[in-house]
Amino acid sequence: MIDPEERRQYWNDRYGEGSIFGAEPNVFVAEHLAGLPPGRVLDLACGQGRNAVWLALQGHAVTAVDLSDVAIGQAVERADAAGVEIQFVVADVMDWDPDPAAFDVVLLSYLQLEEGRRVVAHRKAAEAVAPGGTVFLIAHHPDNIEHGCGGPQVPDVLFGEADLASDFAGFDIVRNEQVRRAVDRDGVTGTALDVLMIASRPAE
């Protein structure tokens, strides 16, 4: 298991290289979350803010959290340039508790953690969703190592459909399946295999 400070330093170093994932929102985020009525959104592990800024431009009130202070600094600059206000928080999800039942959408975009940490992060995400709200999750699928392109090559931080069904038991699972994503970055071209889950918290 990676020490939290080592994890923070790793991501600070990565984000210090520049805009490593681009400025546009994730393709699945843009496809599935476009057109939602403005609401309260929590972006856990927001990175450099590409999804958070896009969501704010759609009219949502966004809270965006990441353990990397370098990434959050870049996200603030990106939000300022776009003319949107976002509540940014520098914190490790393991040490930060969102307000319970406070968000209409909780976004988890490629938050890849070892099983013990993953279960905790997903529990916190579930608890943050308001009744009738949605968890939207996209992550690298375990099959991506052998059959896909890019992403972590460490099986311990990858998870699939069965893991998500267990982590979000009690939610109404709208979609939970492997999806394909075109990759063309840093000289790498191919198809990545991701897992996409959309789940709603039953209304009270």
Side-chain angles (χ1 to χ4, degrees):
M1 182 176 295
I2 301 174
D3 177 82
E5 284 307 313
E6 290 182 8
R7 189 191 305 275
R8 186 189 308 275
Q9 189 59 53
Y10 169 81
W11 284 110
N12 277 346
D13 291 343
R14 285 286 313 274
Y15 289 127
E17 298 171 3
S19 182
I20 60 176
F21 299 117
E24 297 301 314
N26 172 264
V27 61
F28 298 111
V29 170
E31 176 184 354
H32 292 281
L33 298 185
L36 290 179
R40 303 155 298 173
V41 178
L42 173 62
D43 183 359
L44 283 175
C46 68
Q48 294 165 304
R50 59 181 182 140
N51 293 322
V53 169
W54 180 84
L55 288 161
L57 287 169
Q58 311 307 303
H60 300 288
V62 181
T63 299
V65 183
D66 201 275
L67 86 167
S68 169
D69 54 289
V70 171
I72 291 295
Q74 295 165 337
V76 168
E77 292 179 358
R78 185 170 285 176
D80 289 344
V84 295
E85 292 187 8
I86 296 173
Q87 181 182 356
F88 287 108
V89 180
V90 178
D92 189 324
V93 67
M94 294 296 104
D95 304 319
W96 184 79
D97 294 317
D99 292 335
F103 297 94
D104 302 299
V105 177
V106 174
L107 170 62
L108 297 158
S109 177
Y110 303 100
L111 178 57
Q112 312 284 163
L113 299 170
E114 306 92 337
E115 182 178 6
R117 293 176 183 267
R118 185 201 81 225
V119 170
V120 172
H122 288 178
R123 174 180 56 77
K124 291 186 178 189
E127 292 174 349
V129 181
T134 300
V135 172
F136 185 94
L137 183 149
I138 185 74
H140 301 285
H141 195 282
D143 290 349
N144 192 62
I145 290 181
E146 291 189 18
H147 305 292
C149 176
Q153 302 298 298
V154 182
D156 288 350
V157 301
L158 301 177
F159 49 89
E161 299 90 327
D163 300 307
L164 291 173
S166 175
D167 290 352
F168 292 95
F171 274 58
D172 296 325
I173 305 294
V174 177
R175 188 171 178 185
N176 183 17
E177 62 189 89
Q178 185 181 111
V179 292
R180 302 168 71 86
R181 172 174 49 89
V183 174
D184 185 6
R185 186 176 65 245
D186 300 329
V188 177
T189 301
T191 300
L193 302 180
D194 291 339
V195 59
L196 170 67
M197 188 199 73
I198 305 171
S200 62
R201 180 174 178 176
E204 294 179 349

